[in-house]
Amino acid sequence: LAHHSLGLTMSISSKSTTTLQGSWHRRPLATRKKQHRVSKPPECNASKLEFPFEDCSSQSHRPSRREVLQLGVASAFLACIPESANAEALLSCTAITPDWCEPGFKRFSIAVNGLDVACWVYGDLKHSTQLPLVVVHGGPGFPHTYLQPLAQLACDGRPVIFYDQVCVGESECVADLKRDAPWTLTIDYYLAELADVIEYFDLPEKGYHVLGHSWGSVVAQLYALRQPAGLQGLVLAGAISDAQLYKRAQEDFILSTLPPHIQAAIDKAERDQQYDTELYAAIAEGLTSFYTVRTSPKPDCVQSAFDNVNEQIYTAIQGPSEFTIGGKLKNWSITHKLAGIQVPTLLTNGKYDTMQPPVTDAMAEAIPNVQRQLFERSGHMTMVDEPGPYNVAVQDFLSSLELK
Protein backbone atom coordinates (compact mmCIF):
# COMPACT_ATOMS: atom_id res chain seq x y z
CA LEU A 1 0.00 0.00 0.00
CA ALA A 2 1.18 3.53 -0.70
CA HIS A 3 1.89 5.68 2.33
CA HIS A 4 -1.07 7.86 3.18
CA SER A 5 -2.68 9.79 6.01
CA LEU A 6 -6.11 9.48 7.55
CA GLY A 7 -7.97 11.74 9.94
CA LEU A 8 -9.99 10.32 12.82
CA THR A 9 -11.89 11.76 15.74
CA MET A 10 -11.26 10.92 19.37
CA SER A 11 -14.07 11.82 21.75
CA ILE A 12 -12.83 12.56 25.26
CA SER A 13 -14.87 12.17 28.42
CA SER A 14 -15.03 15.98 28.62
CA LYS A 15 -17.05 15.87 25.35
CA SER A 16 -14.28 17.65 23.44
CA THR A 17 -12.91 16.16 20.24
CA THR A 18 -9.40 15.83 18.88
CA THR A 19 -8.44 15.06 15.30
CA LEU A 20 -5.47 12.74 14.92
CA GLN A 21 -3.30 12.32 11.86
CA GLY A 22 -1.12 9.35 11.02
CA SER A 23 0.73 7.54 8.27
CA TRP A 24 1.68 3.87 7.95
CA HIS A 25 3.24 0.34 6.28
CA ARG A 26 3.58 -3.64 6.86
CA ARG A 27 4.83 -7.42 7.67
CA PRO A 28 4.22 -11.43 8.17
CA LEU A 29 3.46 -13.99 10.86
CA ALA A 30 3.51 -17.79 10.73
CA THR A 31 0.11 -19.47 10.60
CA ARG A 32 -0.78 -22.99 11.61
CA LYS A 33 -3.78 -24.94 10.41
CA LYS A 34 -6.12 -26.81 12.74
CA GLN A 35 -9.91 -26.89 12.57
CA HIS A 36 -12.13 -23.93 11.67
CA ARG A 37 -15.14 -23.14 13.85
CA VAL A 38 -17.39 -23.11 10.76
CA SER A 39 -17.57 -26.24 8.63
CA LYS A 40 -16.47 -26.15 4.98
CA PRO A 41 -19.14 -26.17 2.27
CA PRO A 42 -19.87 -29.70 0.99
CA GLU A 43 -18.12 -31.03 -2.10
CA CYS A 44 -20.31 -31.27 -5.18
CA ASN A 45 -20.29 -32.09 -8.87
CA ALA A 46 -19.52 -29.07 -11.04
CA SER A 47 -20.95 -30.81 -14.10
CA LYS A 48 -24.48 -30.20 -12.76
CA LEU A 49 -24.03 -26.44 -12.84
CA GLU A 50 -25.46 -24.51 -15.77
CA PHE A 51 -22.40 -22.32 -16.34
CA PRO A 52 -18.75 -23.17 -16.99
CA PHE A 53 -16.77 -24.50 -14.03
CA GLU A 54 -15.17 -27.16 -16.22
CA ASP A 55 -11.72 -25.73 -15.54
CA CYS A 56 -11.88 -26.84 -11.92
CA SER A 57 -9.38 -29.62 -11.41
CA SER A 58 -10.27 -32.80 -9.56
CA GLN A 59 -8.23 -31.46 -6.61
CA SER A 60 -10.30 -28.29 -6.40
CA HIS A 61 -13.36 -27.60 -4.27
CA ARG A 62 -16.19 -27.38 -6.80
CA PRO A 63 -18.91 -24.83 -5.86
CA SER A 64 -22.40 -26.27 -5.40
CA ARG A 65 -25.57 -24.83 -6.91
CA ARG A 66 -26.54 -23.72 -3.41
CA GLU A 67 -23.22 -21.91 -2.96
CA VAL A 68 -23.66 -20.17 -6.28
CA LEU A 69 -27.18 -19.02 -5.41
CA GLN A 70 -26.01 -17.81 -2.00
CA LEU A 71 -22.73 -16.22 -2.99
CA GLY A 72 -23.18 -15.28 -6.64
CA VAL A 73 -21.21 -16.54 -9.62
CA ALA A 74 -18.09 -14.44 -8.99
CA SER A 75 -17.76 -15.36 -5.32
CA ALA A 76 -18.53 -19.00 -5.93
CA PHE A 77 -15.90 -19.15 -8.64
CA LEU A 78 -13.27 -18.25 -6.02
CA ALA A 79 -13.98 -21.64 -4.49
CA CYS A 80 -12.80 -23.19 -7.75
CA ILE A 81 -9.20 -22.29 -6.90
CA PRO A 82 -7.14 -25.44 -6.21
CA GLU A 83 -6.99 -26.22 -2.49
CA SER A 84 -3.22 -25.75 -2.40
CA ALA A 85 -3.69 -22.15 -3.58
CA ASN A 86 -6.84 -21.64 -1.52
CA ALA A 87 -4.85 -22.39 1.62
CA GLU A 88 -3.10 -19.02 1.21
CA ALA A 89 -5.17 -16.07 2.43
CA LEU A 90 -6.05 -13.48 -0.21
CA LEU A 91 -5.17 -10.68 2.23
CA SER A 92 -2.13 -10.36 4.45
CA CYS A 93 -2.23 -8.57 7.80
CA THR A 94 1.17 -7.10 7.05
CA ALA A 95 -0.03 -5.78 3.69
CA ILE A 96 -3.02 -3.99 5.21
CA THR A 97 -1.02 -2.47 8.10
CA PRO A 98 0.52 0.84 7.01
CA ASP A 99 4.11 1.69 7.97
CA TRP A 100 5.07 -1.93 8.61
CA CYS A 101 8.84 -1.95 9.17
CA GLU A 102 9.87 -5.53 10.07
CA PRO A 103 10.63 -4.68 13.73
CA GLY A 104 11.80 -8.22 14.49
CA PHE A 105 10.84 -10.31 17.49
CA LYS A 106 12.16 -12.80 20.01
CA ARG A 107 10.17 -15.81 21.19
CA PHE A 108 10.13 -16.83 24.85
CA SER A 109 8.60 -19.70 26.80
CA ILE A 110 7.32 -18.95 30.31
CA ALA A 111 6.30 -21.69 32.74
CA VAL A 112 2.93 -20.98 34.37
CA ASN A 113 1.33 -23.63 36.59
CA GLY A 114 3.60 -26.22 35.04
CA LEU A 115 2.69 -25.45 31.43
CA ASP A 116 4.72 -23.37 28.97
CA VAL A 117 3.17 -20.12 27.75
CA ALA A 118 4.51 -18.93 24.38
CA CYS A 119 5.46 -15.26 24.29
CA TRP A 120 6.76 -12.86 21.60
CA VAL A 121 8.55 -9.56 22.13
CA TYR A 122 8.64 -7.12 19.20
CA GLY A 123 11.15 -4.29 19.35
CA ASP A 124 13.99 -3.57 21.77
CA LEU A 125 12.73 -4.20 25.28
CA LYS A 126 16.09 -3.47 26.88
CA HIS A 127 17.03 -0.15 25.29
CA SER A 128 13.74 1.46 24.26
CA THR A 129 12.90 4.81 25.84
CA GLN A 130 9.19 3.98 25.55
CA LEU A 131 7.34 1.73 27.97
CA PRO A 132 6.33 -1.71 26.62
CA LEU A 133 2.76 -2.64 25.80
CA VAL A 134 1.57 -6.07 26.99
CA VAL A 135 -1.29 -7.34 24.80
CA VAL A 136 -3.95 -9.75 26.10
CA HIS A 137 -5.81 -11.56 23.31
CA GLY A 138 -9.49 -12.34 23.09
CA GLY A 139 -11.59 -15.45 22.71
CA PRO A 140 -11.44 -16.97 25.14
CA GLY A 141 -9.49 -19.63 23.31
CA PHE A 142 -8.34 -17.54 20.31
CA PRO A 143 -4.57 -17.25 19.77
CA HIS A 144 -2.92 -13.82 19.58
CA THR A 145 -2.26 -13.94 15.82
CA TYR A 146 -5.19 -11.70 14.79
CA LEU A 147 -3.64 -8.86 16.82
CA GLN A 148 -0.56 -8.82 14.59
CA PRO A 149 -1.16 -5.27 13.24
CA LEU A 150 -0.43 -3.96 16.75
CA ALA A 151 3.20 -5.08 16.36
CA GLN A 152 3.63 -2.04 14.08
CA LEU A 153 3.88 0.02 17.28
CA ALA A 154 7.41 -1.38 17.60
CA CYS A 155 8.24 0.48 14.39
CA ASP A 156 7.67 3.68 16.39
CA GLY A 157 9.99 2.44 19.12
CA ARG A 158 7.47 0.92 21.53
CA PRO A 159 8.15 -2.71 22.53
CA VAL A 160 5.07 -4.91 22.17
CA ILE A 161 4.65 -8.18 24.07
CA PHE A 162 2.18 -10.81 22.85
CA TYR A 163 1.48 -14.18 24.42
CA ASP A 164 -0.83 -17.11 23.77
CA GLN A 165 -2.80 -18.05 26.85
CA VAL A 166 -2.16 -21.60 27.98
CA CYS A 167 -3.70 -24.33 25.78
CA VAL A 168 -4.14 -21.78 22.98
CA GLY A 169 -2.06 -21.29 19.83
CA GLU A 170 1.57 -22.23 20.41
CA SER A 171 1.34 -22.52 24.20
CA GLU A 172 1.50 -25.92 25.86
CA CYS A 173 -1.64 -27.89 26.61
CA VAL A 174 -2.80 -31.19 28.10
CA ALA A 175 -5.02 -33.89 26.67
CA ASP A 176 -7.81 -33.50 29.25
CA LEU A 177 -8.32 -29.96 30.55
CA LYS A 178 -10.93 -30.86 33.16
CA ARG A 179 -8.75 -33.59 34.61
CA ASP A 180 -5.21 -32.26 34.17
CA ALA A 181 -5.57 -28.45 34.07
CA PRO A 182 -9.00 -27.47 35.45
CA TRP A 183 -7.72 -23.97 36.30
CA THR A 184 -7.70 -23.15 32.57
CA LEU A 185 -11.50 -23.20 32.71
CA THR A 186 -11.66 -20.46 35.38
CA ILE A 187 -11.38 -16.68 35.06
CA ASP A 188 -8.96 -16.17 37.96
CA TYR A 189 -6.21 -18.25 36.36
CA TYR A 190 -5.79 -15.75 33.52
CA LEU A 191 -5.02 -12.90 35.94
CA ALA A 192 -2.20 -14.95 37.43
CA GLU A 193 -0.97 -15.85 33.96
CA LEU A 194 -0.81 -12.17 32.91
CA ALA A 195 0.96 -11.29 36.14
CA ASP A 196 3.54 -14.03 35.53
CA VAL A 197 4.25 -12.77 32.00
CA ILE A 198 4.74 -9.24 33.34
CA GLU A 199 6.99 -10.43 36.18
CA TYR A 200 9.09 -12.55 33.80
CA PHE A 201 10.27 -9.43 31.99
CA ASP A 202 10.74 -7.41 35.22
CA LEU A 203 8.19 -4.89 34.02
CA PRO A 204 6.90 -3.73 37.45
CA GLU A 205 10.27 -2.05 38.04
CA LYS A 206 10.43 -0.40 34.61
CA GLY A 207 6.78 0.48 34.02
CA TYR A 208 4.43 -0.82 31.32
CA HIS A 209 0.99 -0.55 29.74
CA VAL A 210 -1.63 -3.26 29.13
CA LEU A 211 -4.03 -3.62 26.17
CA GLY A 212 -6.84 -6.15 26.47
CA HIS A 213 -9.13 -6.96 23.55
CA SER A 214 -12.58 -8.54 23.99
CA TRP A 215 -12.13 -11.42 26.46
CA GLY A 216 -8.68 -9.94 27.02
CA SER A 217 -10.40 -6.79 28.31
CA VAL A 218 -11.99 -8.89 31.06
CA VAL A 219 -8.54 -10.03 32.15
CA ALA A 220 -7.08 -6.53 31.80
CA GLN A 221 -9.81 -4.86 33.88
CA LEU A 222 -9.55 -7.39 36.69
CA TYR A 223 -5.78 -7.08 36.64
CA ALA A 224 -5.90 -3.25 36.76
CA LEU A 225 -8.32 -3.38 39.70
CA ARG A 226 -5.53 -5.00 41.71
CA GLN A 227 -3.57 -1.77 41.22
CA PRO A 228 -0.40 -3.65 40.27
CA ALA A 229 3.01 -2.05 40.55
CA GLY A 230 4.35 -0.43 37.39
CA LEU A 231 1.09 -0.25 35.43
CA GLN A 232 0.96 3.18 33.77
CA GLY A 233 -1.86 2.97 31.24
CA LEU A 234 -4.70 0.71 30.13
CA VAL A 235 -6.29 0.20 26.70
CA LEU A 236 -9.62 -1.65 26.63
CA ALA A 237 -10.57 -2.63 23.08
CA GLY A 238 -14.00 -4.01 22.25
CA ALA A 239 -14.47 -4.31 25.99
CA ILE A 240 -17.16 -5.75 28.24
CA SER A 241 -17.83 -5.29 31.97
CA ASP A 242 -21.36 -6.68 32.30
CA ALA A 243 -22.37 -9.92 30.57
CA GLN A 244 -26.13 -9.46 30.85
CA LEU A 245 -25.93 -5.89 29.58
CA TYR A 246 -23.93 -7.24 26.63
CA LYS A 247 -26.68 -9.83 26.01
CA ARG A 248 -29.43 -7.19 26.04
CA ALA A 249 -27.43 -4.90 23.75
CA GLN A 250 -26.93 -7.76 21.29
CA GLU A 251 -30.69 -8.34 21.23
CA ASP A 252 -31.62 -4.65 20.94
CA PHE A 253 -28.97 -3.39 18.52
CA ILE A 254 -28.01 -6.42 16.42
CA LEU A 255 -30.38 -9.38 16.54
CA SER A 256 -33.53 -7.23 16.37
CA THR A 257 -32.32 -5.75 13.06
CA LEU A 258 -32.11 -9.13 11.31
CA PRO A 259 -34.83 -10.52 9.02
CA PRO A 260 -37.56 -12.31 11.02
CA HIS A 261 -36.72 -15.75 9.62
CA ILE A 262 -33.07 -15.36 10.66
CA GLN A 263 -34.14 -14.26 14.13
CA ALA A 264 -36.42 -17.30 14.31
CA ALA A 265 -33.59 -19.65 13.31
CA ILE A 266 -31.32 -18.20 15.99
CA ASP A 267 -34.09 -18.41 18.62
CA LYS A 268 -34.74 -22.05 17.74
CA ALA A 269 -31.05 -22.93 18.03
CA GLU A 270 -30.94 -21.19 21.43
CA ARG A 271 -34.06 -23.00 22.68
CA ASP A 272 -32.89 -26.40 21.44
CA GLN A 273 -29.25 -25.78 22.40
CA GLN A 274 -28.26 -26.90 18.89
CA TYR A 275 -25.27 -24.86 17.81
CA ASP A 276 -23.68 -27.35 15.42
CA THR A 277 -26.19 -27.17 12.56
CA GLU A 278 -25.17 -26.03 9.10
CA LEU A 279 -27.71 -23.20 9.17
CA TYR A 280 -26.52 -21.85 12.52
CA ALA A 281 -22.90 -21.98 11.36
CA ALA A 282 -23.78 -20.12 8.15
CA ILE A 283 -25.66 -17.40 10.05
CA ALA A 284 -22.78 -17.02 12.51
CA GLU A 285 -20.28 -16.73 9.66
CA GLY A 286 -22.39 -14.09 7.92
CA LEU A 287 -22.69 -11.97 11.04
CA THR A 288 -18.99 -12.43 11.79
CA SER A 289 -18.15 -10.68 8.52
CA PHE A 290 -20.20 -7.66 9.55
CA TYR A 291 -19.81 -7.32 13.32
CA THR A 292 -16.61 -9.17 14.25
CA VAL A 293 -14.20 -8.41 11.41
CA ARG A 294 -15.45 -6.42 8.43
CA THR A 295 -12.28 -7.00 6.43
CA SER A 296 -13.49 -9.70 4.06
CA PRO A 297 -12.02 -12.09 3.07
CA LYS A 298 -10.33 -12.55 6.42
CA PRO A 299 -6.62 -11.64 6.35
CA ASP A 300 -4.11 -14.38 7.14
CA CYS A 301 -3.55 -13.52 10.81
CA VAL A 302 -7.31 -13.46 11.44
CA GLN A 303 -7.97 -16.71 9.58
CA SER A 304 -5.16 -18.32 11.57
CA ALA A 305 -6.87 -17.33 14.81
CA PHE A 306 -10.23 -18.73 13.68
CA ASP A 307 -8.52 -21.93 12.55
CA ASN A 308 -6.87 -22.47 15.93
CA VAL A 309 -9.62 -21.84 18.48
CA ASN A 310 -9.61 -23.99 21.62
CA GLU A 311 -13.32 -24.83 21.63
CA GLN A 312 -13.28 -26.34 25.11
CA ILE A 313 -11.97 -23.16 26.73
CA TYR A 314 -14.26 -20.99 24.60
CA THR A 315 -17.36 -22.94 25.58
CA ALA A 316 -16.47 -23.25 29.27
CA ILE A 317 -15.95 -19.51 29.75
CA GLN A 318 -18.04 -17.81 27.00
CA GLY A 319 -20.63 -20.52 26.34
CA PRO A 320 -21.55 -22.30 23.09
CA SER A 321 -23.74 -19.58 21.57
CA GLU A 322 -22.37 -16.94 19.22
CA PHE A 323 -25.27 -14.56 19.95
CA THR A 324 -25.56 -14.55 23.72
CA ILE A 325 -23.25 -15.34 26.62
CA GLY A 326 -23.00 -18.31 28.98
CA GLY A 327 -20.36 -20.35 30.72
CA LYS A 328 -18.39 -18.74 33.55
CA LEU A 329 -19.18 -15.27 32.19
CA LYS A 330 -22.97 -15.68 32.11
CA ASN A 331 -23.72 -13.46 35.12
CA TRP A 332 -20.33 -11.76 35.35
CA SER A 333 -20.35 -8.01 36.06
CA ILE A 334 -17.76 -5.64 37.48
CA THR A 335 -19.09 -2.29 36.28
CA HIS A 336 -19.71 -1.27 39.88
CA LYS A 337 -16.02 -1.87 40.64
CA LEU A 338 -14.49 0.06 37.74
CA ALA A 339 -14.05 3.22 39.83
CA GLY A 340 -11.13 1.31 41.33
CA ILE A 341 -9.13 1.52 38.08
CA GLN A 342 -6.62 4.25 38.93
CA VAL A 343 -4.59 4.47 35.72
CA PRO A 344 -5.58 6.49 32.62
CA THR A 345 -7.67 4.32 30.32
CA LEU A 346 -8.40 4.41 26.59
CA LEU A 347 -11.70 2.74 25.69
CA THR A 348 -12.02 1.83 22.00
CA ASN A 349 -14.64 0.13 19.89
CA GLY A 350 -15.90 -0.04 16.31
CA LYS A 351 -19.12 1.48 15.04
CA TYR A 352 -20.28 -2.01 14.06
CA ASP A 353 -18.75 -3.72 17.10
CA THR A 354 -20.45 -6.60 18.88
CA MET A 355 -19.90 -4.41 21.95
CA GLN A 356 -22.72 -1.95 21.31
CA PRO A 357 -23.12 1.55 22.88
CA PRO A 358 -24.86 0.54 26.14
CA VAL A 359 -21.89 -1.73 26.96
CA THR A 360 -19.18 0.86 26.41
CA ASP A 361 -21.26 3.76 27.76
CA ALA A 362 -21.58 2.01 31.11
CA MET A 363 -17.84 1.47 31.28
CA ALA A 364 -17.03 5.05 30.28
CA GLU A 365 -19.27 6.38 33.05
CA ALA A 366 -17.68 4.11 35.67
CA ILE A 367 -13.95 4.51 34.92
CA PRO A 368 -12.61 7.74 36.49
CA ASN A 369 -9.89 8.76 34.01
CA VAL A 370 -11.10 7.58 30.61
CA GLN A 371 -10.81 8.62 26.99
CA ARG A 372 -13.00 7.09 24.28
CA GLN A 373 -12.49 6.48 20.60
CA LEU A 374 -14.96 5.15 18.08
CA PHE A 375 -13.70 3.72 14.77
CA GLU A 376 -16.29 4.43 12.11
CA ARG A 377 -15.42 1.62 9.67
CA SER A 378 -14.70 -1.17 12.14
CA GLY A 379 -16.33 -4.18 13.67
CA HIS A 380 -15.04 -5.88 16.82
CA MET A 381 -11.49 -6.30 15.51
CA THR A 382 -10.73 -2.61 15.13
CA MET A 383 -6.98 -3.19 14.87
CA VAL A 384 -7.64 -5.28 11.72
CA ASP A 385 -10.39 -3.19 10.11
CA GLU A 386 -8.56 0.12 10.66
CA PRO A 387 -4.99 -0.80 11.60
CA GLY A 388 -3.40 2.53 10.72
CA PRO A 389 -5.77 4.80 12.66
CA TYR A 390 -5.92 2.31 15.51
CA ASN A 391 -2.17 2.18 15.98
CA VAL A 392 -1.92 5.97 15.83
CA ALA A 393 -4.62 6.32 18.49
CA VAL A 394 -2.96 3.82 20.83
CA GLN A 395 0.53 5.27 20.32
CA ASP A 396 -0.65 8.85 20.85
CA PHE A 397 -2.51 7.89 24.03
CA LEU A 398 0.39 5.97 25.56
CA SER A 399 2.94 8.59 24.53
CA SER A 400 0.86 11.31 26.16
CA LEU A 401 1.04 9.44 29.47
CA GLU A 402 4.80 9.13 29.27
CA LEU A 403 5.28 12.86 28.63
CA LYS A 404 3.60 13.77 31.91
Side-chain angles (χ1 to χ4, degrees):
L1 297 178
H3 300 321
H4 57 286
S5 296
L6 295 178
L8 52 141
T9 300
M10 174 180 283
S11 60
I12 312 300
S13 54
S14 64
K15 309 298 183 184
S16 64
T17 60
T18 303
T19 299
L20 306 178
Q21 296 289 336
S23 61
W24 318 286
H25 328 322
R26 50 203 203 185
R27 154 340 165 63
L29 192 69
T31 59
R32 300 183 310 127
K33 205 75 172 167
K34 287 186 185 172
Q35 186 175 1
H36 197 293
R37 291 177 56 82
V38 179
S39 57
K40 287 180 63 178
E43 299 288 339
C44 66
N45 188 345
S47 64
K48 295 182 180 179
L49 299 174
E50 296 177 356
F51 40 83
F53 283 93
E54 292 83 2
D55 290 340
C56 288
S57 71
S58 59
Q59 288 77 36
S60 302
H61 164 66
R62 299 171 183 270
S64 66
R65 182 185 300 273
R66 178 170 57 80
E67 287 178 276
V68 172
L69 292 175
Q70 288 177 340
L71 302 176
V73 175
S75 296
F77 189 75
L78 290 175
C80 199
I81 300 171
E83 290 183 356
S84 59
N86 222 7
E88 297 297 326
L90 297 176
L91 291 177
S92 162
C93 286
T94 60
I96 66 173
T97 303
D99 279 356
W100 190 268
C101 70
E102 299 292 343
F105 65 87
K106 293 182 179 179
R107 189 186 186 283
F108 297 82
S109 185
I110 304 171
V112 180
N113 273 24
L115 295 175
D116 287 340
V117 171
C119 185
W120 296 261
V121 177
Y122 286 76
D124 190 342
L125 188 59
K126 184 176 181 180
H127 298 104
S128 176
T129 58
Q130 300 182 43
L131 298 181
L133 177 65
V134 181
V135 181
V136 189
H137 65 71
F142 274 63
H144 82 283
T145 52
Y146 73 94
L147 295 164
Q148 183 187 8
L150 292 173
Q152 188 274 336
L153 294 171
C155 300
D156 290 332
R158 182 174 306 284
V160 181
I161 301 174
F162 297 101
Y163 68 99
D164 281 339
Q165 293 164 4
V166 75
C167 285
V168 174
E170 294 190 22
S171 288
E172 188 179 3
C173 198
V174 293
D176 189 327
L177 288 178
K178 289 184 178 180
R179 182 191 66 201
D180 301 325
W183 58 85
T184 62
L185 307 179
T186 70
I187 296 174
D188 287 345
Y189 161 75
Y190 295 94
L191 306 186
E193 182 183 66
L194 173 58
D196 282 358
V197 170
I198 290 169
E199 288 284 348
Y200 181 86
F201 294 106
D202 296 323
L203 300 186
E205 298 178 11
K206 305 171 184 176
Y208 60 96
H209 308 288
V210 169
L211 183 153
H213 176 250
S214 193
W215 150 251
S217 79
V218 171
V219 178
Q221 289 170 79
L222 290 170
Y223 179 76
L225 284 170
R226 294 182 172 185
Q227 299 171 11
L231 180 63
Q232 302 298 308
L234 183 66
V235 181
L236 301 175
I240 177 175
S241 65
D242 185 324
Q244 287 303 306
L245 179 58
Y246 163 79
K247 179 178 181 292
R248 293 193 297 273
Q250 286 270 302
E251 293 168 350
D252 294 343
F253 287 82
I254 295 179
L255 299 181
S256 66
T257 69
L258 301 177
H261 46 281
I262 298 299
Q263 293 187 50
I266 294 173
D267 289 342
K268 184 177 187 305
E270 298 286 348
R271 285 196 311 272
D272 299 342
Q273 298 287 292
Q274 291 185 344
Y275 305 111
D276 58 353
T277 66
E278 185 178 357
L279 176 59
Y280 186 85
I283 293 173
E285 180 70 7
L287 294 182
T288 291
S289 68
F290 194 80
Y291 294 104
T292 302
V293 56
R294 303 187 81 215
T295 303
S296 182
K298 296 184 186 75
D300 53 3
C301 68
V302 176
Q303 189 62 60
S304 174
F306 275 84
D307 287 344
N308 289 279
V309 178
N310 186 313
E311 297 282 358
Q312 190 173 357
I313 291 177
Y314 181 90
T315 301
I317 297 177
Q318 148 78 26
S321 171
E322 301 289 344
F323 306 108
T324 182
I325 195 162
K328 299 292 174 59
L329 289 175
K330 183 176 182 179
N331 296 305
W332 181 83
S333 176
I334 59 165
T335 306
H336 60 290
K337 297 181 179 180
L338 295 182
I341 294 180
Q342 297 187 347
V343 297
T345 302
L346 175 63
L347 186 62
T348 71
N349 63 299
K351 181 177 180 178
Y352 305 96
D353 206 316
T354 51
M355 305 305 174
Q356 289 291 303
V359 179
T360 50
D361 289 349
M363 297 181 68
E365 291 172 8
I367 300 172
N369 187 358
V370 67
Q371 297 181 12
R372 298 183 68 176
Q373 179 141 350
L374 177 70
F375 291 86
E376 294 284 347
R377 296 177 176 85
S378 294
H380 190 47
M381 294 183 178
T382 46
M383 63 290 301
V384 175
D385 288 334
E386 296 182 75
Y390 195 84
N391 285 341
V392 168
V394 171
Q395 177 68 353
D396 284 356
F397 171 71
L398 299 182
S399 296
S400 71
L401 303 183
E402 294 167 17
L403 291 173
K404 294 180 181 179

